[in-house]
C-alpha cells in the first residue's frame, strides 16, 4: 500500500461519515507499533510528528521522515505523514521535501488577527508546494510550556468566527476547542457535542480534535458522529509505551534493550488498534 496524502484520508473519512486517527510518533519504534495496530484494525492511519519531536531529533526533519516514508510504503493499510504543531516557518518549508503531505500551522495561541495573518501566509506557501494545511482556532491548551496559559480550559471555538477564519485563511482543516486538552493521562474530558455539530454546520472544511487522549471512548465516538473528522492522539500512546517499557525493564537485569522495546511497541499497537476501532 503506497504512502497516501493526509487530504485523501481525511476526505475519505469525511465522505463516509467517520473519522481518521492521527497518532504522534516520537521514535521509529512508536511508528512501527502504530502501523502494526492500524494493520490489525484494517484501517488507514496518519503518522504525525510534532515540532517538539523534531527538536528532540536534534532539529532534523529528514531522518525520521525518511524512515516513516519507508514504513508507509510497506504497510498493508494506507498511511500518510503529517507535521504537527508547527510554529517556525523554517520547519514547514522542509515538510514537502521530507515526505509530509500536510502541516498544522500552529497559531492557536495568537490573537485572532495575528492567527489569521500567520496562517494565511503559511497556507499560501504550503499550497504552492502541494501540502494541505490544518490550523487551529480557539486554542486547545495543555501543550508543554503553554500548560498554564491563561487560554487553558474553558476556551471554545465560536462557529461564526470559525467560518470567517476558514474563509480568510483558506485552510483545508480546522482544529477546534470543544473541551479537550493536550497531555491528559486520564480519559476524563467532557466535550461539547452540540458545539461540534454547530461547527460542522458552519465550517466548510473537516474539523480536527486535538487532545483526544483525554476523551472517554464513547465520547470520542460521539464526537466523530457529531462532525469531528481527524482525531489527534499522542498522550495515550506515551502512557502505553512508557508504562510497558518501565514494567519490562523492571522485570529484567539484561542490558539488551530490545525485549523491553518490543513490549513498549506492542503496547502502542494494542492502543492504536483499540482507538482506531473507536474512531472508526
Ligand atoms: Zn495538538
Amino acid at each position: 500500500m503506497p504512502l497516501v496524502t493526509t487530504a485523501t484520508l481525511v476526505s475519505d473519512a469525511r465522505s463516509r461519515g467517520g473519522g481518521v486517527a492521527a497518532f504522534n510518533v516520537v521514535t521509529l519504534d512508536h511508528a512501527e507499533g502504530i502501523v502494526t495496530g492500524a494493520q490489525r484494525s484494517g484501517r488507514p492511519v496518519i503518522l504525525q510528528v510534532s515540532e517538539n519531536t523534531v527538536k528532540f531529533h536534534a532539529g532534523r526533519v529528514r531522518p525520521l521522515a525518511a524512515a516513516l516514508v519507508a514504513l508507509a510504503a510497506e504497510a498493508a493499510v494506507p498511511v500518510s505523514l503529517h507535521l504537527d504543531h508547527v510554529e517556525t516557518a523554517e520547519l514547514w518549508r522542509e515538510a514537502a521535501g521530507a515526505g509530509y503531505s500536510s502541516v498544522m500551522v500552529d497559531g492557536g495561541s495568537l490573537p485572532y488577527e495575528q492567527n489569521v495573518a500567520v496562517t494565511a501566509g503559511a497556507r499560501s506557501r504550503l499550497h504552492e508546494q502541494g501540502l494541505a494545511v490544518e490550523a487551529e482556532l480557539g486554542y486547545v491548551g495543555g501543550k508543554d510550556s503553554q500548560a498554564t496559559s491563561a487560554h487553558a480550559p474553558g476556551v471554545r471555538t465560536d462557529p461564526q468566527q470559525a467560518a470567517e477564519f476558514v474563509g480568510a485563511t483558506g485552510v483545508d482543516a480546522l482544529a477546534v476547542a470543544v473541551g479537550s486538552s493536550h497531555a491528559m493521562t486520564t480519559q476524563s474530558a467532557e466535550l461539547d457535542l452540540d458545539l461540534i455539530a454547530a461547527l460542522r454546520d458552519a465550517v466548510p472544511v473537516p474539523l480536527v480534535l486535538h487532545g483526544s487522549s483525554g476523551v472517554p471512548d464513547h465520547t470520542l465516538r460521539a464526537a466523530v458522529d457529531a462532525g469531528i473528522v481527524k482525531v489527534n492522539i499522542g498522550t495515550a500512546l506515551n502512557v502505553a509505551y512508557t508504562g510497558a517499557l518501565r514494567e519490562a525493564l523492571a522485570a529484567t537485569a539484561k542490558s539488551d534493550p530490545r525485549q523491553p522495546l518490543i513490549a513498549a511497541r506492542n503496547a502502542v499497537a494494542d492502543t492504536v488498534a483499540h482507538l482506531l476501532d473507536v474512531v472508526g
Side-chain angles (χ1 to χ4, degrees), residues 24 48 84-85 104 134 136 140 143 182 209-211 232:
N24 282 84
Q48 62 185 13
D84 204 32
H85 283 291
M104 184 235 188
E134 173 184 333
E136 179 177 301
V140 181
K143 192 173 155 276
H182 288 101
L209 184 69
H210 283 241
N232 283 20

Side-chain angles (χ1 to χ4, degrees), residues 164-218:
E164 284 167 21
F165 181 84
V166 169
T169 58
V171 294
D172 306 289
L174 186 68
V176 291
V178 292
S180 60
S181 183
H182 288 101
M184 285 180 69
T185 54
T186 58
Q187 288 180 292
S188 53
E190 288 178 19
L191 298 186
D192 188 337
L193 298 171
D194 292 338
L195 177 58
I196 293 171
L199 285 161
R200 176 197 54 200
D201 293 343
V203 175
V205 299
L207 302 177
V208 184
L209 184 69
H210 283 241
S212 310
S213 295
V215 180
D217 288 353
H218 64 277

Side-chain angles (χ1 to χ4, degrees), residues 228-249:
I228 293 289
V229 179
K230 178 169 174 271
V231 177
N232 283 20
I233 300 166
T235 304
L237 300 195
N238 289 341
V239 169
Y241 184 96
T242 311
L245 188 59
R246 192 176 280 132
E247 199 176 302
L249 284 171

